[in-house]
């Protein structure tokens, strides 16, 4: 709502009207302080709907002219609600050009919106939003004033208000240009009055409606920084009360900086804080109760100064907050834009021409940055492929078998006879222990059945492999990305990769190759840490098994896991070992100072807040080097692995050798002491032959701190 | 012993073995953290926990290895049996199949540890009396037959959990005291604090730390 403000001549009269309140004399100063923003509503008040009433200051532009003091203050003219136009209008008797002013102020929009608010007369709730935009000093004062008085001094106030009313009515009749005062009363008596501004009818004008309008107006006029507002505290319990609203008390602060505008409170963050502040700061400007000696001029000045300081402080704080918020939102926006752009690239350029694009540089770059979650469900199956040629028929066949078995399993409790039944039992048991914190794979969760069926279909499809613990994690990750059939194809083919065949089949020789290769690679890339681990005898199997089997799903946060999968599915098993070294390198400093127990605990319970970006920077140092093709004599993991494989295949190592005491063979394979312990155990063939483990090997088996 | 406050005289290595889902990890967690972990993911490979206890006035550090239960992993997990002074063999009293597998677990434990290793039988989930599938007497008879100490526990309520771990430690300590456990495994000589060394095959897994 904008109201006309004309001259300072009315100031004197306003003084009369608002004698209860001390009025600051400079308008400009006071509005500059956002700190005032939220004014405090004591709980009693806020629950009894305090009513903010915005007034738009028209004078900001002219603010530099000290003569137009009143103008800036903006006065609250008595308003009525016109049910036909649904507008708040000045009472006719006052005859003011409300519309013009609105236009002039560019706040018309806000005002219009404001008046469109429902007029159902329902109790308007106090809206949080309005404070940050329009609350300001005068409201503060008014509120404090009112709050102090209302609860126990209704009658007194009424009479006071009556006095004021008469005063202001005469005032109004004298001059239309008067800034004015507003009188509002909570009323059940309904209709807005358009008659005399100051008579009881007016006073009775429907408060709720005004309040609503005011609220709305404030909420929607955020753009207007030159807005003025006043808040009309309401009474408790619907008792009729009169409140006097005068011009902004702060507007009197003559010495305040002329350039500060009616800055409204842009931030809603520290509302409460500000509210609390207002509470006391506003009070300081009030005069003392009549039974106490009045403030001296000096004191009043001091108080004003104090107040200004506080306002300034808060303003600065708020500006800072605002700035930070802005920066954060810009950064966020940039990220979102990047993600959206990446998503577009994937869906519009790469996916439609997959065969052509999949090896392009652009595609690889985007891939390294992590697939957009939306795209994973499409890209992963493409990256995994379907070497096994699984068709929908094959899937359905095994799925139906699985469903039958799953049902039987529930019927005949316990005593699983067949291997298949045992697998089904294990699957049921492990499903609820898969990502337990997510709560979606547990019995009753949305993915529980899907998980059972996927794993069930797989054991029916590959009874030779069956279910192996940690498969449930892999299945769960895949199910999160795609539909059951695609998931089955992806899952089966993924488990058909060499590393998975070796690990899930617990093929001792193959696993041995991986571990020896990892050991050498680790030694080559992070020699210090490798040495340390060897010294404390931290065998790689103690953490690597936990990482590799579920493809990091159990150890890393879900988003990081997915990013590792992104690259793993494209680049193959080598990446998993690079990722392992990436994790180690990322925490190298800490790990170097840890003993066996701490290091093991750390590696098997990696920090939950581990950041993908940071991790990938570390992994990159291993990956990029390999791509570089530099003449560095460093070997890639793949090269090392093939060396090891060659050695082993040439007969250096075999279960038979070990059984026959071929310890020399083992020792010719270069590996660290720590890994040899594991390898020796792994390769020991059967329980009966434990005694045959060569002494040399057995000596390596110590586990120490 | 002039042990520093944080010191301990021995490290006992324990392993926890048994079928999938019998509650091995929960027992470990209950013992080390005194909390029941209701949403514990299944163990892959091995988990690890420690706690310092006191037996006969001696501070002893228990270093507990909790293994994956699936049979498929035995090739991997048997590596963790080595040097264990105590083995907690766990079954679930509400699932007979887990009890039926005990003999194979016992075979592993006997074969992969040394003769002095104390094997303790635990029937877990004793809080689920209503779903009991294995009578106490039956398990008790099995334990007696094989020379095992036996207790029914609940990782959920904590009942008897402490006792199982402590009783195992007492037995090991007793073995040391009466000499049936050869401590001169400390062939590394007088090493400060924890030196876990084991004699090639015959010595149990104690470390003697003598500060």
């Amino acid at each position: 709502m904008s109201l006309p403000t004309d001259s300072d001549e009315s100031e004197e009269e306003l003084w009369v009207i608002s004698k209860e309140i001390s009025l600051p004399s400079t308008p400009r100063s006071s509005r500059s302080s956002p700190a005032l923003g939220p004014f405090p509503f004591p709980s009693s008040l806020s629950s009894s709907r305090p009513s903010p009433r915005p007034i738009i200051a028209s004078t900001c532009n002219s603010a530099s002219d000290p003569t137009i003091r009143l103008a800036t203050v903006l006065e609250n003219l008595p308003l009525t609600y016109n049910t036909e136009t649904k507008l708040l209008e000045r009472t006719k008797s006052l005859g003011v050009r409300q519309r013009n002013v609105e236009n002039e102020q560019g706040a018309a929009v806000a005002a219009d919106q404001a008046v469109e608010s429902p007029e159902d007369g329902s109790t308007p709730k106090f809206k949080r939003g309005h404070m940050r935009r329009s609350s300001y000093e005068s409201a503060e004062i008014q509120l404090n004033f009112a709050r102090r008085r209302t609860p126990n001094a209704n009658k007194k106030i009424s009479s006071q208000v009556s006095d004021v009313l008469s005063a202001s009515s005469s005032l109004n009749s004298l001059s239309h240009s008067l800034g004015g005062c507003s009188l509002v009363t909570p009323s059940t008596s309904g209709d807005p009055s358009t008659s005399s501004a100051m008579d009881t009818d007016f006073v009775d004008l429907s408060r709720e409606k005004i309040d609503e309008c005011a609220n709305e107006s404030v909420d929607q006029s955020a753009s207007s920084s030159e807005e003025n507002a006043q808040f009309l505290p309401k009474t408790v319990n619907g008792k009729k009360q009169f409140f006097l609203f005068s011009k902004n008390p702060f507007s009197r602060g003559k010495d305040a900086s002329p350039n500060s505008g009616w800055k409204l409170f842009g931030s809603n963050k520290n509302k409460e804080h500000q509210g609390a502040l207002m509470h006391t700061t506003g009070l300081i400007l009030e005069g003392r109760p009549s039974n106490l000696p009045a403030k001296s001029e000096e004191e009043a000045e001091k108080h004003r100064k104090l107040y200004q300081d506080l306002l300034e402080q808060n303003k600065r704080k708020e500006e800072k907050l605002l700035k930070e918020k802005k920066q954060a939102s810009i950064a966020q926006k940039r990220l979102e834009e990047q993600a959206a752009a990446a998503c577009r690239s994937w869906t519009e350029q790469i996916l439609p021409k997959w065969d052509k694009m999949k090896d392009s540089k652009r595609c690889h770059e985007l891939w390294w940055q992590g697939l957009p979650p939306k795209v994973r469900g499409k890209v992963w199956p493409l990256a995994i492929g379907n070497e096994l040629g699984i068709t929908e028929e094959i899937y359905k066949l095994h799925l139906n078998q699985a469903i039958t078995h799953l049902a039987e399993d529930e019927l005949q409790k316990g005593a699983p006879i067949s291997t298949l039944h045992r697998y089904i039992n294990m699957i049921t048991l492990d499903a609820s222990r898969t990502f337990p914190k997510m709560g979606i794979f547990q019995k009753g969760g949305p993915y529980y059945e899907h998980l059972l069926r996927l794993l069930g279909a797989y054991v029916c499809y590959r009874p030779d492999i069956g279910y192996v613990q940690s498969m449930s994690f892999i299945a769960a990750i895949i199910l999160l990305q795609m539909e059951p059939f695609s998931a089955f194809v992806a899952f089966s083919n993924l488990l058909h990769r060499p590393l998975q065949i070796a690990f899930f089949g617990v093929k001792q020789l193959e696993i041995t190759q991986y571990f020896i290769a990892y050991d050498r690679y680790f030694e080559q890339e992070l020699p210090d840490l490798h040495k340390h681990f060897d010294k404390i005898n931290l065998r790689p199997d103690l953490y690597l098994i936990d990482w590799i089997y579920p493809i990091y799903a159990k150890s890393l946060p879900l988003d990081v896991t997915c990013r590792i999968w992104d690259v793993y599915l494209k680049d193959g098993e080598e990446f998993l070992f690079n990722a392992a070294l990436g994790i180690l390198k990322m925490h190298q400093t800490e790990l170097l100072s840890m003993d066996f127990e701490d290091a093991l605990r750390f590696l098997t319970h990696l920090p939950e807040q581990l950041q993908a970006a940071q991790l990938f920077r570390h992994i990159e140092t291993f990956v990029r080097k390999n791509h570089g093709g530099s003449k560095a004599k460093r070997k890639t993991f793949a090269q090392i692995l093939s060396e090891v494989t060659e050695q082993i295949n040439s007969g250096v190592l075999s279960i038979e050798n070990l059984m026959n005491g071929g310890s020399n063979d083992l020792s010719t394979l270069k590996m660290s002491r720590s890994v040899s312990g594991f390898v020796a155990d792994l390769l020991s063939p059967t329980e009966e032959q434990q005694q045959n483990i060569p002494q040399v090997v057995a000596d390596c088996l110590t586990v120490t701190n | 012993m002039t042990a520093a406050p944080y010191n301990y005289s021995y490290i006992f290595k324990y392993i926890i073995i048994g079928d999938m889902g019998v509650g091995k990890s929960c027992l470990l967690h209950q013992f080390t953290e005194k909390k029941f972990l209701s949403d514990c993911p299944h163990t892959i490979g091995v988990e690890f926990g420690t706690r310092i206890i006191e037996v006969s006035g001696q501070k002893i550090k228990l270093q507990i290895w909790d293994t994956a239960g699936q049979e498929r992993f035995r090739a991997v997990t048997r590596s963790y049996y080595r040097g264990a002074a105590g083995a907690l063999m766990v079954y679930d009293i509400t699932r007979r199949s887990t009890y039926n597998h005990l003999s194979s677990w016992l075979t592993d434990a006997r074969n992969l540890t040394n003769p002095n290793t104390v094997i303790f039988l635990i029937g877990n989930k004793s809080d689920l009396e209503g779903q009991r599938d294995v009578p106490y007497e039956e398990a008790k008879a099995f334990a007696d037959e094989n020379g095992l100490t036996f207790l029914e526990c609940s990782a959920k309520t904590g009942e008897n959990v402490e006792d199982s771990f402590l009783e195992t430690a007492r037995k090991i300590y007793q073995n040391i005291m009466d000499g049936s456990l050869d401590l001169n495994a400390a062939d590394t000589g007088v090493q400060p604090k924890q030196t876990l060394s084991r004699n090639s095959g015959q010595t149990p897994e104690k470390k003697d730390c003598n500060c």
Side-chain angles (χ1 to χ4, degrees):
Chain A
M1 270 299 87
S2 60
L3 296 171
T5 67
D6 306 7
S7 64
D8 40 356
E9 76 191 52
S10 53
E11 190 187 13
E12 299 267 324
E13 280 135 351
L14 272 178
W15 260 107
V16 178
I17 299 171
S18 54
K19 57 192 168 190
E20 289 287 331
I21 316 171
S22 67
L23 292 176
S25 53
T26 341
R28 326 303 290 17
S29 63
S30 47
R31 7 182 187 149
S32 60
S33 52
L36 299 176
F39 52 89
F41 284 112
S43 54
S44 65
L45 259 188
S46 58
S47 61
S48 62
R49 21 167 219 185
S51 51
R53 180 162 169 221
I55 295 181
I56 296 160
S58 61
T59 53
C60 303
N61 36 8
S62 62
S64 52
D65 180 359
T67 60
I68 319 186
R69 289 183 230 141
L70 226 195
T72 47
V73 183
L74 239 323
E75 323 347 5
N76 312 322
L77 289 176
L79 298 179
T80 55
Y81 183 72
N82 183 328
T83 50
E84 284 174 18
T85 63
K86 296 189 175 181
L87 286 177
L88 275 179
E89 294 175 351
R90 273 186 80 182
T91 13
K92 281 174 186 164
S93 65
L94 292 176
V96 178
R97 337 148 280 210
Q98 173 196 352
R99 280 319 218 162
N100 295 341
V101 176
E102 276 181 11
N103 293 337
E104 285 165 18
Q105 305 213 318
V109 175
D112 286 347
Q113 285 170 342
V115 292
E116 281 167 18
S117 63
E119 53 170 26
D120 56 5
S122 64
T123 309
K125 285 264 163 63
F126 175 65
K127 296 196 179 178
R128 307 183 58 171
H130 74 269
M131 301 248 277
R132 60 175 176 249
R133 294 175 190 141
S134 59
S135 60
Y136 57 95
E137 305 84 286
S138 66
E140 196 52 40
I141 304 298
Q142 303 282 354
L143 181 70
N144 289 327
F145 162 70
R147 187 175 62 239
R148 278 202 325 209
R149 309 246 165 198
T150 21
N152 46 16
N154 290 347
K155 286 184 183 162
K156 205 172 166 190
I157 289 190
S158 298
S159 64
Q160 285 170 345
V161 170
S162 302
D163 291 344
V164 173
L165 279 181
S166 54
S168 77
S169 111
S170 63
L171 165 74
N172 282 321
S173 62
L174 286 173
S175 165
H176 284 176
S177 58
L178 163 66
C181 66
S182 69
L183 293 168
V184 183
T185 171
S187 165
T188 50
S189 71
D191 293 330
S193 159
T194 53
S195 66
S196 159
M198 296 304 172
D199 65 9
T200 14
D201 283 341
F202 167 69
V203 169
D204 273 347
L205 99 161
S206 167
R207 220 208 130 128
E208 280 84 1
K209 289 169 184 166
I210 290 199
D211 290 348
E212 281 174 19
C213 293
N215 275 333
E216 291 296 325
S217 158
V218 174
D219 280 340
Q220 307 189 1
S221 57
S223 58
S224 163
S225 63
E226 302 295 334
E227 192 176 340
N228 208 339
Q230 286 205 342
F231 297 83
L232 305 182
K234 281 199 84 165
T235 63
V236 195
N237 302 331
K239 284 186 190 163
K240 192 180 277 193
Q241 292 228 344
F242 297 84
F243 293 104
L244 172 64
F245 290 84
S246 76
K247 62 183 180 179
N248 186 332
F250 300 90
S251 59
R252 301 186 86 210
K254 282 180 183 163
D255 6 75
S257 85
N259 283 331
S260 43
W262 285 101
K263 177 97 165 48
L264 296 177
F265 311 100
S267 161
N268 50 348
K269 267 189 192 165
N270 40 2
K271 191 184 299 172
E272 281 178 24
H273 171 66
Q274 286 177 349
L277 199 63
M278 294 319 304
H279 192 166
T280 46
T281 46
L283 279 175
I284 205 176
L285 292 169
E286 288 191 48
R288 296 220 172 90
S290 55
N291 56 343
L292 293 175
K295 283 183 188 176
S296 71
E297 190 50 44
E298 203 176 85
E299 197 179 8
E301 181 62 30
K302 193 175 143 202
H303 287 173
R304 272 194 292 272
K305 192 129 202 287
L306 272 174
Y307 187 52
Q308 292 304 329
D309 288 348
L310 272 175
L311 298 186
E312 277 301 312
Q313 266 178 27
N314 269 296
K315 185 183 171 188
R316 277 196 295 271
K317 199 191 267 173
E318 189 158 310
E319 276 169 356
K320 198 176 149 202
L321 274 173
L322 206 66
K323 208 171 155 191
E324 283 169 6
K325 205 175 152 192
K326 218 171 177 175
Q327 282 171 347
S329 80
I330 288 174
Q332 174 69 21
K333 207 173 162 197
R334 196 180 304 136
L335 273 180
E336 279 166 13
E337 276 166 7
Q338 274 175 6
C343 203
R344 266 198 308 279
S345 299
W346 278 105
T347 51
E348 290 166 15
Q349 296 164 19
I350 299 175
L351 282 173
K353 290 177 271 179
W354 175 254
D355 287 333
K356 238 196 261 168
M357 294 294 291
K358 69 178 179 191
D359 295 320
S360 69
K361 200 178 159 207
R362 167 92 179 127
C363 176
H364 282 232
E365 268 170 20
L366 278 175
W367 208 320
W368 177 261
Q369 288 158 15
L371 300 177
K374 274 189 202 162
V375 174
R376 284 202 173 108
K378 297 196 180 75
V379 177
W380 281 10
L382 289 170
I384 295 172
N386 188 3
E387 200 189 322
L388 296 169
I390 295 171
T391 61
E392 192 130 17
E393 286 70 38
I394 295 179
Y395 168 63
K396 287 211 170 118
L397 178 74
H398 296 295
L399 178 64
N400 288 333
Q401 282 179 23
I403 291 174
T404 318
H405 287 305
L406 283 166
E408 276 174 11
D409 191 55
E410 281 179 12
L411 292 179
Q412 52 154 52
K413 186 191 174 227
I417 307 141
S418 69
T419 322
L420 203 58
H421 271 106
R422 280 180 45 203
Y423 286 142
I424 298 282
N425 270 354
M426 291 177 194
I427 291 167
T428 320
L429 192 65
D430 274 359
S432 57
R433 303 195 289 167
T434 303
F435 294 118
K437 296 216 168 96
M438 251 187 250
I440 56 176
F441 297 104
Q442 286 62 49
K443 195 160 191 172
Y447 281 81
Y448 177 70
E449 280 297 322
H450 289 302
L451 186 57
L452 288 190
R453 289 178 178 195
L454 174 54
L455 292 168
Y458 183 75
V459 296
C460 293
Y461 172 64
R462 292 300 299 266
D464 55 322
I465 297 174
Y467 172 76
V468 182
Q469 285 193 304
S470 77
M471 277 185 185
S472 63
F473 280 95
I474 295 177
I477 294 274
I478 292 178
L479 276 173
L480 287 174
Q481 308 294 347
M482 49 192 104
E483 292 304 300
F485 170 60
S486 316
F488 180 76
V489 176
F491 182 77
S492 306
N493 280 285
L494 183 58
L495 293 195
H496 196 60
R497 291 184 167 201
L499 179 122
Q500 274 73 26
I501 289 180
F503 275 70
F504 285 110
V506 194
K507 298 188 185 302
Q508 291 143 295
L509 270 184
E510 281 85 344
I511 295 182
T512 301
Q513 290 164 18
Y514 280 110
F515 272 93
I516 294 178
Y518 169 77
D519 179 57
R520 292 184 188 178
Y521 189 48
F522 181 15
E523 187 176 18
Q524 169 190 286
E525 297 297 328
L526 301 171
D528 291 344
L529 192 61
H530 181 270
K531 200 173 157 198
H532 178 65
F533 276 13
D534 205 34
K535 193 175 124 212
I536 60 177
N537 208 353
L538 182 59
R539 296 160 24 170
D541 57 294
L542 295 179
Y543 57 91
L544 212 52
I545 283 179
D546 199 46
W547 292 355
I548 297 288
Y549 265 96
I551 319 185
Y552 293 98
K554 188 168 169 265
S555 310
L556 293 174
L558 186 62
D559 60 319
V560 187
T561 301
C562 286
R563 285 208 48 191
I564 292 208
W565 279 52
D566 288 343
V567 187
Y568 163 61
L569 297 181
K570 176 166 79 76
D571 291 353
E573 63 196 30
E574 176 159 12
F575 183 75
L576 294 184
F577 295 93
N578 281 329
L581 290 194
I583 295 173
L584 294 182
K585 191 179 180 196
M586 187 173 170
H587 303 103
Q588 182 164 220
T589 322
E590 301 104 285
L591 286 168
L592 277 172
S593 64
M594 288 183 186
D595 63 10
F596 171 80
E597 287 175 11
D598 289 341
L600 181 54
R601 225 185 313 261
F602 182 86
L603 293 176
T604 49
H605 299 94
L606 292 170
E608 279 175 24
Q609 70 282 5
L610 194 138
Q611 294 294 313
Q614 205 191 348
L615 173 62
F616 270 69
R617 272 198 298 279
H618 286 99
I619 298 176
E620 198 171 14
T621 59
F622 305 110
V623 176
R624 289 288 182 248
K625 169 181 64 65
N626 299 341
H627 285 176
S630 70
K631 34 188 173 306
K633 47 187 187 237
R634 297 185 160 188
K635 298 170 190 159
T636 64
F637 177 82
Q639 287 167 343
I640 295 178
L641 181 65
S642 69
E643 275 178 21
V644 174
T645 310
E646 210 172 288
Q647 278 179 296
I648 288 181
N649 288 347
S650 68
V652 172
L653 186 62
S654 73
I655 292 177
E656 291 72 28
N657 271 344
L658 267 180
M659 286 163 58
N660 301 328
S663 55
N664 288 335
D665 292 335
L666 189 59
S667 60
T668 57
L669 270 179
K670 176 180 167 285
M671 69 177 105
S672 67
R673 184 177 68 108
S674 57
V675 80
S676 69
F678 172 66
V679 165
D681 275 346
L682 186 65
L683 290 178
S684 59
T686 61
E687 285 110 29
E688 306 85 62
Q689 288 156 327
Q690 284 303 313
Q691 323 310 334
N692 294 338
I693 292 186
Q695 195 58 51
V696 163
V697 175
D699 282 344
C700 296
L701 300 181
T702 53
V703 178
T704 67
N705 281 359
Chain B
M1 279 271 151
T2 59
Y6 189 61
N7 264 340
Y8 36 83
S9 314
Y10 300 95
I11 295 176
F12 290 172
K13 176 178 169 181
Y14 281 16
I15 48 163
I16 310 180
I17 54 176
D19 270 13
M20 285 169 64
V22 295
K24 297 181 292 296
S25 300
C26 289
L27 281 169
L28 171 63
H29 202 262
Q30 176 64 256
F31 179 68
T32 56
E33 309 286 325
K34 301 208 159 66
K35 262 186 246 158
F36 176 61
L37 204 60
S38 59
D39 55 356
C40 173
H42 55 263
T43 306
I44 298 159
V46 70
E47 288 274 337
F48 171 80
T50 58
R51 192 180 137 184
I52 294 177
I53 57 164
E54 206 172 293
V55 172
S56 306
Q58 298 281 352
K59 283 217 165 39
I60 292 169
K61 182 179 211 169
L62 297 187
Q63 194 183 71
I64 306 151
W65 297 78
D66 160 36
T67 60
Q70 190 177 11
E71 201 174 339
R72 183 73 62 96
F73 281 113
R74 287 202 194 181
V76 173
T77 54
R78 63 184 172 196
S79 163
Y80 309 121
Y81 285 64
R82 313 202 145 269
L88 305 182
M89 194 164 70
V90 189
Y91 72 95
D92 174 354
I93 67 160
T94 69
R95 281 192 296 151
R96 176 161 282 278
S97 62
T98 66
Y99 174 79
N100 293 341
H101 292 155
L102 284 180
S103 54
S104 94
W105 285 113
L106 186 59
T107 310
D108 266 13
R110 290 257 154 87
N111 286 337
L112 296 168
T113 61
N114 64 72
N116 284 310
T117 298
V118 174
I119 301 177
F120 198 104
L121 181 63
I122 292 178
N124 191 27
K125 310 197 186 177
S126 64
D127 53 297
L128 301 176
E129 186 58 43
Q131 301 168 42
R132 177 185 285 279
D133 205 13
V134 181
Y136 175 86
E137 294 71 23
E138 187 181 347
K140 180 74 183 148
F142 173 82
D144 291 343
E145 216 170 281
N146 291 283
L148 314 172
T149 326
F150 170 58
L151 270 182
E152 284 191 348
C153 298
S154 168
K156 192 169 187 178
T157 66
E159 183 196 5
N160 279 346
V161 174
E162 193 91 354
D163 288 345
S164 312
F165 284 81
L166 294 187
E167 184 57 31
T168 308
R170 268 181 227 118
K171 291 211 157 207
I172 297 169
Y173 186 70
Q174 203 182 336
N175 284 348
I176 298 174
M177 290 296 107
D178 65 20
S180 60
L181 204 88
D182 183 10
L183 259 192
N184 69 10
D187 37 14
T188 39
V190 185
Q191 293 245 347
K193 237 173 42 166
Q194 56 280 54
T195 308
L196 199 142
S197 49
R198 44 174 243 102
N199 212 337
S200 51
Q202 294 291 339
T203 355
E205 196 47 25
K206 268 109 266 115
K207 270 110 282 185
D208 145 319
C209 130
N210 62 350
C211 325

